[in-house]
Amino acid sequence: MSKLNLGPVKAFNVMKTCFGGFEDVGASKVEFKNNKRQINFFIGEYDVEMVVRHLDEKSQSQPNFSYDYFTDEENRLKGLFWCDDQAKRNYHVFGDVISFDATYRSNKYAMVFVPFTGIDNHHCNVTFGAALLASETEPKVVITDQDPAMKKFVDTRHRLCMWHVMHKLSLKVGVRICNSTNFKERISGVVWTDILTPEEFKSEWEVVIGEFNLADNDWLSDIFALRESWIPAYYRMEELSGLMRTTSRLESENHVFGQVCNSKATLVEFMTHYETAIEAQRHTHRKNDHESRYKRP
């Protein structure tokens, strides 16, 4: 049950239900908590070492398994990346467009969990690899939420997440105008369409901004200046595989991982949770493959 991120109290209650009563579990709730505490004490300061050893054993036993890590001058873990053969094959088939999210804290060291996400032939998320980072100094990215660190990469086509930009409207423009007028609806009608040409978008944007007297709003001026990085009119001919407009794809993947991860987890626990989530993802893919081959639509 710990693989599914069930804490000792939930685990105790589940076992009580399975066995029929508290007296049939064979241990008390306190003993469940003590056992969890003893496991964490055993992991202790060897947490990182145990995870690296686990990945090294995988690289020895599994063909084409890769991992890498780096440390700071005090030998503290700063970054860890891993990818197995199945993930590499998925990348070869589905890796036309990749989403990269570096906003997910998933362990007690506040390291950032970074899944590399694509879309498979069933329009479902597929993971190409993953990393843990101690900071967001310079992550490689295709779609972002306006993190300044992302700007440093010149070897990818960079796109801002439309959802993150528009989500800030109320904060940057004002709750009153967003709630008491149809401004949000009007500006969304201009932003969330891919049928406008760049000239048409510019014209429509200026009409809405003028109508609501927002020409002096610095944030609107700034995001308009960045329009080529997030407005579909400026990259409407690119193949985006359903990923490029928004990071909601990877956020939905993070929701899946979020079910089996928590900010208090050790790295050993995190890796167990991650592998459980990947196993479930791949089971779903195999199930979808089977149904698409043998069932009638």
Side-chain angles (χ1 to χ4, degrees), residues 150-157:
M150 310 299 191
K151 287 282 189 182
K152 298 179 182 178
F153 290 88
V154 295
D155 57 347
T156 60
R157 286 176 291 170

Side-chain angles (χ1 to χ4, degrees), residues 131-280:
L132 287 168
L133 300 176
S135 66
E136 294 183 53
T137 51
E138 199 173 279
K140 291 190 175 181
V141 66
V142 176
I143 311 169
T144 77
D145 56 359
Q146 286 185 285
D147 188 330
M150 310 299 191
K151 287 282 189 182
K152 298 179 182 178
F153 290 88
V154 295
D155 57 347
T156 60
R157 286 176 291 170
H158 180 88
R159 296 291 177 262
L160 296 177
C161 170
M162 294 176 67
W163 184 87
H164 275 93
V165 173
M166 296 300 287
H167 191 62
K168 297 175 182 178
L169 268 181
S170 296
L171 176 65
K172 300 295 186 178
V173 178
V175 174
R176 186 195 61 79
I177 192 171
C178 287
N179 291 345
S180 61
T181 72
N182 66 340
F183 167 73
K184 201 168 186 178
E185 179 184 348
R186 290 287 307 283
I187 201 71
S188 295
V190 176
V191 166
W192 289 102
T193 178
D194 52 10
I195 64 171
L196 296 178
T197 65
E199 295 76 18
E200 289 170 337
F201 166 78
K202 183 179 179 182
S203 176
E204 294 284 340
W205 175 280
E206 290 174 349
V207 167
V208 176
I209 297 301
E211 182 177 331
F212 290 90
N213 299 313
L214 292 170
D216 294 331
N217 184 286
D218 291 338
W219 180 77
L220 287 172
S221 298
D222 289 342
I223 64 168
F224 179 73
L226 294 171
R227 59 192 180 279
E228 293 185 17
S229 295
W230 66 286
I231 294 298
Y234 293 88
Y235 50 90
R236 53 205 291 247
M237 302 310 292
E238 293 180 13
E239 286 290 339
L240 307 183
S241 301
L243 272 170
M244 199 64 84
R245 279 193 181 188
T246 174
T247 54
S248 60
R249 267 280 166 186
L250 42 146
E251 283 157 7
S252 69
E253 167 151 290
N254 277 353
H255 176 71
V256 172
F257 286 122
Q259 302 305 298
V260 290
C261 300
N262 69 68
S263 59
K264 297 179 181 178
T266 63
L267 292 185
V268 170
E269 290 175 303
F270 166 79
M271 189 59 68
T272 303
H273 300 157
Y274 170 82
E275 290 174 349
T276 300
I278 289 297
E279 183 181 354

Side-chain angles (χ1 to χ4, degrees), residues 47-48 51-52 55 68-70 77-82 100-102 104-116 129-136 261 265-271 274:
D47 195 8
V48 173
V51 167
V52 172
L55 296 178
D68 198 5
Y69 67 94
F70 60 96
L77 183 69
K78 300 294 287 183
L80 176 66
F81 171 81
W82 65 99
F100 173 106
D101 190 16
Y104 196 62
R105 269 70 180 180
S106 56
N107 55 77
K108 70 176 187 176
Y109 312 105
M111 295 187 78
V112 182
F113 169 51
V114 183
F116 297 80
L132 287 168
L133 300 176
S135 66
E136 294 183 53
C261 300
T266 63
L267 292 185
V268 170
E269 290 175 303
F270 166 79
M271 189 59 68
Y274 170 82

Side-chain angles (χ1 to χ4, degrees), residues 24-63:
D24 299 316
V25 173
S28 69
K29 190 179 296 183
V30 172
E31 287 173 315
F32 270 61
K33 292 180 179 179
N34 290 342
N35 185 60
K36 170 73 169 178
R37 191 177 300 114
Q38 288 166 0
I39 291 173
N40 287 343
F41 181 77
F42 173 77
I43 294 171
E45 62 185 85
Y46 301 103
D47 195 8
V48 173
E49 184 180 329
M50 291 172 71
V51 167
V52 172
R53 189 186 306 134
H54 171 70
L55 296 178
D56 188 62
E57 289 172 354
K58 281 196 165 191
S59 70
Q60 305 285 342
S61 61
Q62 296 183 17

